[in-house]
């Protein structure tokens, strides 16, 4: 995972070449994280599963972020922010091990992530309450803040190699 390779999809959360503030006892690195609703901080524990992309989604109101904080290195799958649903050929996979990513608004990403070892992949996860509520707390048939697409329901079998 490099900043250059991930740039079409977002930013890597790591110290910047030039800190936002360089103080005597610490350097501060700020990122342009955005949302238009209250922030929600969660820990995601991605469990072992087949390396198969079923559902993807994108969010319009938040620069969703994930920081790998433990467990097995984990593969995430993303596609560039577009109005159209990406094709399987548009999907890109990245191995995350102790790094974090911040998706650009509208970046398509697999709903699941894929641990490479026996332990779950643990992530600190930043999103917004309104987006998470319409997906999990009080699910709606057609979300207003996100777009979802189910490759599996469309008969497409996407295996990661």
């Amino acid at each position: 995972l490099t900043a250059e390779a991930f740039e079409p999809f977002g930013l890597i959360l790591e110290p910047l070449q030039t800190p936002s503030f360089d103080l005597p006892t610490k350097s501060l690195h700020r990122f342009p994280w955005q949302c238009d609703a209250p922030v929600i901080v969660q820990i995601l524990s991605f469990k072992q599963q087949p390396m198969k992309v079923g559902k993807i989604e994108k969010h319009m109101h938040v620069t969703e972020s994930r920081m790998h904080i433990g467990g097995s290195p984990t593969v995430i799958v993303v596609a560039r922010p577009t109005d159209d649903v990406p094709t399987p050929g548009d999907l890109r996979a990245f191995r995350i091990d102790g790094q974090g990513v911040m998706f650009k608004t509208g970046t398509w990403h697999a709903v699941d992530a894929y641990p490479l070892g026996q332990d779950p992949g643990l992530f600190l996860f930043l999103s917004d309450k309104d987006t998470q509520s319409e997906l999990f707390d009080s699910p709606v048939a057609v979300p207003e803040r996100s777009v979802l697409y189910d490759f599996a329901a469309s008969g497409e079998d996407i295996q990661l190699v």
Side-chain angles (χ1 to χ4, degrees), residues 10 28 38 52 66 93-95 115 127 138 158:
L28 178 63
K52 225 174 155 170
R66 302 172 181 190
F94 292 92
R95 180 181 186 271
S127 189
S138 305
I158 303 172

Side-chain angles (χ1 to χ4, degrees), residues 3-153:
E4 296 75 26
F6 199 73
E7 191 283 325
F9 318 104
L11 298 172
I12 296 178
L13 299 176
E14 62 186 0
L16 304 169
Q17 187 171 6
T18 303
S20 304
F21 296 94
D22 199 8
L23 307 171
T25 60
K26 61 188 158 269
S27 293
L28 178 63
H29 305 268
R30 287 191 176 162
F31 297 88
W33 198 85
Q34 302 172 24
C35 69
D36 66 355
V39 175
I40 187 167
V41 177
Q42 305 170 90
I43 292 181
L44 281 175
S45 179
F46 289 106
K47 300 174 184 177
Q48 271 297 324
Q49 61 180 307
M51 300 275 282
K52 225 174 155 170
V53 178
K55 295 178 183 176
I56 60 172
E57 64 185 4
K58 68 176 182 174
H59 310 297
M60 310 320 187
H61 301 274
V62 62
T63 53
E64 188 174 274
S65 300
R66 302 172 181 190
M67 174 66 80
H68 183 257
I69 59 171
S72 295
T74 303
V75 173
I76 63 168
V77 176
V78 295
R80 291 176 188 264
T82 59
D83 291 334
D84 297 326
V85 172
T87 66
D90 295 329
L91 300 176
R92 298 291 176 264
F94 292 92
R95 180 181 186 271
I96 307 289
D97 187 8
Q99 294 168 298
V101 295
M102 180 175 70
F103 299 143
K104 290 179 180 178
T105 303
T107 293
W108 290 94
H109 57 280
V111 170
D112 290 316
Y114 310 91
L116 296 174
Q118 294 303 312
D119 294 329
L122 301 175
F123 284 80
L124 182 64
F125 178 77
L126 278 76
S127 189
D128 73 271
K129 185 162 180 46
D130 292 354
T131 297
Q132 293 297 298
S133 290
E134 75 173 13
L135 296 173
F136 297 104
D137 303 323
S138 305
V140 296
V142 181
E144 295 178 12
R145 302 177 65 78
S146 303
V147 178
L148 295 101
Y149 182 76
D150 191 339
F151 283 112

